Amino acid sequence: MSAKRTSRESLAKSATSQDSDSQKSRTPINLQSASTPPTGQRRSGSQIGSPLLKPGSGMSSAGNRDKAGSAVGKNASPAPAAKAAVKAEIAENIQYLPPGLHTIFISSTTQQSLQLRVDEDLTQESNLKLIGKDVLLDDIQTAGQASSFFEFQQQIQAYPENEIAIIYDYDYFYSQNFLICFDPKLKKFMEMPPVTLPLDEVTETEQYVPPVSKPWISLGSEKEIEEERLVLNRPLKRYKIKVPSRSSQQKPTFKDVDPDDKKKMFINIEPYEDKQFDLKKIELDIAIQAAPEFRENFSQTIWKYPKNQWTQYEPREYSEEEKMKYLADPKLINVVVNSYDLFKQALQQNIIHDPFYLDWTRLGGQLDGLGGPGDSHLKEYQSFTDIHNSKDKIVTCVQWHPTLRGIIAVSLAVRQGFDERSENLSRITTAPSLILIWSFVDPIQPKLFLEAPDDIQCFQFSPSEPHIIAGGCVNGQIVMWDIQQYEERIKNPRGDHRDKDLFIPGFEDETFFQTPHIRFCAVSSIEHSHAEPITDLQWIPDHFQITAQGLPTENLSMSCSQLMTCAFDSQVLIWETRAPRTGVKPSTKKEREVINPLGVPLTFKHLDLSWKPLLRVTLANAESGPDFAPRKFSIREQQGDRDVLNKEEKDLFEKKKDNRDSGQFVNPVDDALSKGQVPSKAKVLQNVDTFFYVGTETKFEDYHAYSLTAWYSSVVDGPVVALKRSPFFKDIVLVAGGWTFSLWREKVHSGALLHTSSMKEKVTDAEWSPTRSGVFFISKQNGSIDIWDVVDRTHAPSLTQSISSSSITYLSIKNISSKQQLLAAADSNGTLHILEVPWALRQPVNQEFQVVTSYFDRETERREFVKKRWDIREEEKREKERLAALKAGIAPAHNPSQEEIDIRMKNEYNEFIQFEYHILREMGLRDENEAPPVQQ
Amino acid sequence: MSQAEVEETIKRIQTHKGVQGFIIVSTEGGFVRSTIDNSTTMSLSGLVKPLADKARSAIRDLDPQNDLTFLRIRTKKQEILVAPDKDYLTVVLQATEQA
């Protein structure tokens, strides 16, 4: 409050003293800004300057005036005289209002409507209120002349801004209760008053005025000080006073005292250990830090850049003259002659006895470390099984691709017996019968599927054209495939279905990754085929062919074209794959497309469904008995064995080759058929043995082509399952069937060279080793393989190894390389096991061939001997019987001669005639007078 | 002692079984007389000579009074017989009996 008062005082003072313009501009601030603190200077100034007010106001002090002012504001003036005086003063104040500010009286009703109620909306401290222009004009409109703002109507309308500031004059300093402002600048100033005054005070208080010394003025005090001062007028005196000490003068007297004296003249302080300070050092913390020594080292290496350099040199050689000179040197002659004895000794020593001969190294050939001769077990190399197609199927046949390495074909058949099969005959099976062609690089997915009309029992790649495959069906038909266009796919070492790089992503040909199914391209005519399942099929070797007359002739085309098959219907058929001369005309391309909707190669189009066998051999039994059901057959000639040709007509063959080269077209079939007319072109091969062996259900027979059974014998105790010729001995045949197997030699019909006793398990297949003449493999029904080595022993297999849990159905061996031989063993679960033949069973032992040859010769001799013995035994038996009869007295004691026998027989006959005559006479059929006919 | 005797000796050596060749090498390392082809002789004389020298030095180091008289090198294919002397070296090749 006091601050406020002082501001009013200053206002009053400025009003009276007619201050400068700047002071005038301050006044409104003081008016409305209560927070503005007055400066001390001003206060003192106003206090000091208060006498100046006296002439104008007539008031003794500012305090009085304030009191009067406040009394006026409250309309409660205690003294009328004072009020009048105040009024006069207020009227004066108006003239100091800045331009744009006008005093205005606002009635209490208007205050209420405009919310300008004194002491409610507006107080002494917050005395500013902004009223909208339109509000004021409305007020003028409604109240007319009675409106407080009527007189300012013009100014209000002219006012540029929207709101007009109304200031509450708390103590009627400017004669009215409100002030209205028509100056926008002033209004802004009032809204945001600058706060600058406190800064002034700060600057003044901080001013440091150094004190200024004033000249000293004497007022008599120096005299008083002078009087108090002490001044020495003589030198000071010094005294030394000392008190005499008695003890210092007395001399100490010492005497000896007995330590054992009763009077304790001394105190003995014994040393003792104070437990209180007995501390033991138990633990000690010690830390050691090792700091590595830091060193810097430098070394500089010399870099030598590589350089190419050449040196050419020539060994020193003596010229002829020099040599002659040296040779003439007696020293040299001496050396040579002297060294002779040494050399002789050494050389002869080497010849007589080689000291470096190691018996061990000569033993058993090369020792290849592990996997050498010691390891003689078959090792599983790979196994193939197709998840979808091998299920519940048995493998009927396995064939290696004749030329491509690591390609093997497997035929699958439904695991059904005859009854099941005939039951299911009417049902249409959706899954086609397949031959799977596998590659060693991909054991998951077969390379090709060959589709067949029915289950394939046996098949074979054509030896000369490996893309042609012939198969024999269960229904008796022959099926042909041509996989020429897929050869690339087979050869491709990478798995095709992984070969994604070939395609742009998103453009993959799905069919490319699938294994293609290949349809057969020809099938034989049903009427002319076998009536029973085909059990064996073979291509006739390319060096000869069989004519319709059953004569073997030379094959001029040198390619396999004939097939030989056998089936249960006791027939062996020979088929010709080439088109007959008067065959179908070559069809045009258009026709081909029409008749070839499945994209089947047209290689054997001429054969399809009309194919007839070239030759039919019926295995009729010579005696009346059941027909033979052939299961396997074996012919002597083998593929690639051209001995027959070479021996007989090598020259002729060469000539014919020349003929063909010169462009003369020779149809080999024609040649063969018309050999009678042109004997020089295709000669009957006399050396070709046309006998073939047929293994039947129970028998083993020797047949001549197109003739009757030459010989037969029951050799095994069950159906023949394998009939294999040794690759080394063309006349040695391995016959397996039932529970036994035996080795036979051609033309030795008295018995087998080797015949095993019955085994515990049924034999399922047999296979010769292609490299060891004395080794063959026998597979058995329990899934094991017996390995026989006639060099090792002949009474038992040299090794038995279990391969599969199910029965092994087929064996096939292939010599992959000189270091690898693989045996394919298929089982009845549709799995094909590829086994690696160990070194010992692959590598022929020393002179094996000779050993085996001599073994077979020995056995043959034995057979001959046995035969001879049979004759002898027969003779002996007869003799024995005769002797026995003699002893009984039936026969004459002597050997009857032919004459005697005749006489005896004649007598017997006469006796019979007489006997007959008597009977007839008794019956009355003969005349009694008739003499009995007696032959003389 | 004449040149004919040298030839006679060579002939006699060659009559032995398995003898493939006979070479006389001089101290300098060059060959003086050979019964086999030039290149083989060249490489053989160039390699066998230092070997024989080394062998001799080894023997001498072991016992200074000892000396190398004969060297037989047994190989898989042949035996190399070396008779070293002060001035000349004679080499005979003999095939070892093959299994």
Side-chain angles (χ1 to χ4, degrees), chain A residues 585-861:
Chain A
K585 284 174 225 159
S587 49
T588 62
K589 202 184 173 187
K590 206 173 186 182
E591 274 178 325
R592 226 176 277 166
E593 276 166 11
V594 170
I595 59 170
N596 190 19
L598 290 162
V600 170
L602 294 162
T603 328
F604 298 110
K605 191 67 211 165
H606 56 277
L607 300 172
D608 202 10
L609 294 170
S610 60
W611 196 11
K612 290 175 194 172
L614 174 77
L615 188 65
R616 198 178 281 266
V617 182
T618 310
L619 307 180
N621 199 338
E623 297 162 21
S624 57
D627 280 345
F628 298 128
R631 281 183 66 105
K632 298 280 169 193
F633 65 87
S634 166
I635 51 174
R636 191 189 177 117
E637 297 306 316
Q638 283 171 327
Q639 170 66 26
D641 179 10
R642 309 210 193 284
D643 282 352
V644 182
L645 285 184
N646 294 348
K647 259 186 250 163
E648 212 165 69
E649 40 195 294
K650 201 174 180 182
D651 302 338
L652 194 65
F653 185 71
E654 289 301 319
K655 209 161 74 187
K656 256 170 250 149
K657 257 190 175 167
D658 292 344
N659 281 351
R660 268 191 287 161
D661 288 343
S662 61
Q664 184 192 352
F665 179 74
V666 179
N667 188 334
V669 183
D670 290 349
D671 257 5
L673 291 172
S674 58
K675 64 178 174 61
Q677 288 96 38
V678 200
S680 66
K681 285 221 164 168
K683 202 174 163 187
V684 176
L685 300 173
Q686 297 298 340
N687 276 13
V688 173
D689 198 344
T690 49
F691 282 89
F692 62 92
Y693 286 90
V694 174
T696 68
E697 285 284 2
T698 51
K699 302 256 168 63
F700 167 61
E701 300 175 36
D702 186 4
Y703 264 87
H704 191 282
Y706 204 54
S707 72
L708 292 174
T709 314
W711 166 83
Y712 75 89
S713 170
S714 183
V715 292
V716 289
D717 49 359
V720 170
V721 290
L723 198 60
K724 298 271 169 83
R725 261 169 213 267
S726 165
F728 292 90
F729 308 97
K730 280 169 92 179
D731 54 348
I732 300 290
V733 183
L734 172 63
V735 186
W739 286 262
T740 60
F741 69 89
S742 49
L743 289 174
W744 288 76
R745 182 165 223 156
E746 262 181 29
K747 311 282 191 295
V748 178
H749 295 156
S750 60
L753 301 186
L754 175 68
H755 190 97
T756 57
S757 57
S758 284
M759 288 182 272
K760 280 179 185 169
E761 292 289 331
K762 249 185 157 174
V763 173
T764 53
D765 202 3
E767 180 71 291
W768 286 95
S769 165
T771 48
R772 284 196 60 183
S773 49
V775 172
F776 49 90
F777 304 89
I778 303 287
S779 70
K780 296 190 291 184
Q781 205 170 25
N782 63 350
S784 63
I785 291 178
D786 280 354
I787 299 152
W788 288 74
D789 186 353
V790 295
V791 179
D792 180 29
R793 56 185 108 156
T794 54
H795 63 281
S798 53
L799 183 73
T800 301
Q801 203 173 342
S802 185
I803 302 301
S804 168
S805 56
S806 54
S807 165
I808 287 177
T809 55
Y810 205 91
L811 285 181
S812 183
I813 200 159
K814 172 102 172 169
N815 218 11
I816 297 290
S817 66
S818 63
K819 287 191 174 172
Q820 199 177 36
Q821 195 176 84
L822 296 177
L823 176 69
D827 65 18
S828 57
N829 274 344
T831 308
L832 177 65
H833 303 270
I834 307 289
L835 307 161
E836 200 167 0
V837 178
W839 186 89
L841 296 171
R842 198 174 69 219
Q843 201 66 28
V845 295
N846 250 352
Q847 298 179 324
E848 176 167 357
F849 186 74
Q850 284 93 320
V851 169
V852 178
T853 312
S854 66
Y855 168 73
F856 285 134
D857 288 346
R858 218 160 51 229
E859 289 298 312
T860 314
E861 271 170 35

Side-chain angles (χ1 to χ4, degrees), chain A residues 75-121:
Chain A
N75 289 334
S77 170
K83 192 183 172 183
V86 167
K87 279 243 175 177
E89 185 199 28
I90 286 166
E92 269 178 42
N93 285 347
I94 296 169
Q95 58 182 318
Y96 301 115
L97 270 174
L101 267 181
H102 300 275
T103 57
I104 184 169
F105 179 80
I106 298 168
S107 64
S108 58
T109 50
T110 317
Q111 280 177 20
Q112 211 141 28
S113 67
L114 294 177
Q115 295 190 335
L116 289 170
R117 283 164 299 179
V118 174
D119 294 336
E120 281 180 42
D121 295 321

Side-chain angles (χ1 to χ4, degrees), chain A residues 315-318 322-324 326-351 354-357 362, chain B residues 1-3 5-6 9 12-13 16-17 19 22 24 26 28 30-33 38 42 69-70 72 74 79 81-83 85 87-88 90-92 94 97 99:
Chain A
R316 233 172 4 154
E317 204 178 336
Y318 291 123
E322 277 177 315
K323 275 184 188 172
M324 288 312 290
Y326 275 118
L327 282 172
D329 188 359
K331 268 189 202 165
L332 184 139
I333 296 163
N334 211 23
V335 163
V336 170
V337 172
N338 287 343
S339 69
Y340 174 67
D341 285 337
L342 287 166
F343 279 126
K344 195 176 81 179
Q345 199 186 340
L347 292 170
Q348 282 179 344
Q349 203 181 68
N350 281 345
I351 298 304
D354 191 351
F356 300 102
Y357 183 88
R362 307 297 162 102
Chain B
M1 293 274 192
S2 69
Q3 224 171 302
E5 249 176 291
V6 173
T9 313
R12 274 160 74 183
I13 285 170
H16 281 95
K17 197 183 164 193
V19 172
F22 180 87
I24 303 168
S26 76
E28 289 97 59
F31 70 94
V32 175
R33 176 77 171 81
N38 228 13
M42 216 89 88
T69 56
F70 204 65
R72 290 173 71 170
R74 186 78 173 191
E79 184 164 310
L81 309 165
V82 186
D85 209 278
D87 302 306
Y88 296 98
T90 43
V91 181
V92 171
Q94 190 191 24
E97 232 167 293

Side-chain angles (χ1 to χ4, degrees), chain A residues 435 449-453 456 465 467-471 473 477-486 517-525 539 563 577 592 595-611:
Chain A
I435 291 179
F449 292 118
L450 304 184
E451 278 182 30
I456 293 292
E465 286 124 320
H467 55 91
I468 291 168
I469 301 164
C473 282
Q477 283 179 300
I478 309 283
V479 191
M480 303 292 286
W481 290 271
D482 187 352
I483 56 164
Q484 190 155 30
Q485 51 181 309
Y486 298 96
H517 285 249
I518 298 165
R519 250 186 87 84
F520 50 92
C521 60
V523 63
S524 63
S525 97
W539 287 88
L563 280 169
T577 58
R592 226 176 277 166
I595 59 170
N596 190 19
L598 290 162
V600 170
L602 294 162
T603 328
F604 298 110
K605 191 67 211 165
H606 56 277
L607 300 172
D608 202 10
L609 294 170
S610 60
W611 196 11

